[in-house]
Amino acid sequence: MATAAASKALAGAGVDPQDVSAVLVATMSHRGRATTVAPLVAAALGATAAAAMDLGAACAGFPYALATADALVRSGAAGHVVLVGVERMTDIIDERDRGTAFLFGDGAGAVVVGPAQTCGIGPVVWGADGSQSELLRYDEAGILRMAGPEVFRWATSVIPDVATRALDAAGVSAADLAAFIPHQANLRITSVAAKALGLGPHVRVATDITTNGNTGAASIPQAMAALTDITGPALLVGFGAGLSYAAQVVTLP
């Protein structure tokens, strides 16, 4: 899935795999190997000169990795970076667990980050609260367990704050947005966050959860790809196990 998504992103950007400096993969569901996902994806793409690494920030993984890719390009350490969010959540959930089984799905989404005349990625605002890490955890068998109500309360309290700070950092307001693309945890969290931010009817709110479910680190790029007719500023917010969170404003082409 990661290779397929990355191939589509490279083709859309018109970038040859040989010109890729780094491959970043955000995932929390890769199991059973010492080898991380990114080197396998780089090899499959033919990006033989690229650095490759996984980034583990769970459902906040995509905005974390996007900030990392942005920093690599800005610093001159990389030219073009392929960034993939990918999960096989069905590998790490218990189909009998009514608190998780109906929520999660499998999927991948990818973008290419590279040099440009104008910056399309705003400053990242991020953080983590490890004191509450037990709300989303693996059990002894490596299965994901979630305290749903507690995660809901945490997410709906943290998202408006981190989102507002990301808007301020980018120098824009909620009224300037074309889209709001949060991690697709569940529709209730998205609705509560959109209301708290006071988003107007002109702002497209991503609801990819109704199609693909919660696909972890893949959910933001998948939701972004579904908004094919939207251009302009979009607010991305990721949050999840850790508990980690991150947000930034990007310009949709």
Side-chain angles (χ1 to χ4, degrees):
M1 291 189 297
T3 301
S7 294
K8 291 178 183 179
L10 285 169
V15 175
D16 189 283
Q18 291 292 328
D19 295 326
V20 172
S21 301
V23 176
L24 305 182
V25 174
T27 187
M28 64 179 287
S29 57
H30 183 58
R31 299 175 62 184
R33 295 185 182 182
T35 305
T36 52
V37 179
L40 304 177
V41 175
L45 291 172
T48 56
M53 66 176 181
D54 287 8
L55 194 151
C59 300
F62 185 80
Y64 263 68
L66 184 60
T68 302
D70 179 49
L72 289 172
V73 173
R74 285 176 183 268
S75 69
H80 289 91
V81 178
V82 177
L83 163 56
V84 188
V86 60
E87 305 286 8
R88 277 181 33 164
M89 299 302 291
T90 51
D91 285 350
I92 61 171
I93 60 172
D94 178 356
E95 62 183 17
R96 298 163 299 179
D97 183 351
R98 297 177 62 183
T100 59
F102 72 99
L103 281 174
F104 292 97
D106 302 337
V111 298
V112 177
V113 177
Q117 292 296 320
T118 58
C119 181
I121 302 173
V124 66
V125 175
W126 49 9
D129 182 4
S131 68
Q132 299 193 73
S133 62
E134 287 298 304
L135 298 183
L136 273 163
R137 61 177 179 82
Y138 290 127
D139 66 13
E140 295 78 7
I143 299 299
L144 184 66
R145 303 297 180 184
M146 179 174 67
E150 291 84 353
V151 171
F152 178 87
R153 286 193 290 271
W154 171 79
T156 52
S157 67
V158 74
I159 294 172
D161 175 64
V162 68
T164 299
R165 288 191 285 135
L167 290 171
D168 291 343
V172 299
S173 70
D176 299 318
L177 292 175
F180 174 48
I181 311 176
H183 163 53
Q184 301 293 287
N186 72 49
L187 198 57
R188 289 179 59 216
I189 291 177
T190 297
S191 298
V192 170
K195 183 177 180 179
L197 290 169
L199 300 182
H202 67 286
V203 180
R204 179 77 68 84
V205 178
T207 56
D208 195 61
I209 180 102
T210 61
T211 302
N212 292 319
N214 180 341
T215 55
S219 78
I220 290 177
Q222 283 189 307
M224 191 187 309
L227 301 179
T228 55
D229 58 337
I230 301 296
T231 59
L235 173 61
L236 313 183
V237 183
F239 52 92
L243 298 169
S244 57
Y245 54 88
Q248 66 258 94
V249 175
V250 302
T251 302
L252 300 181

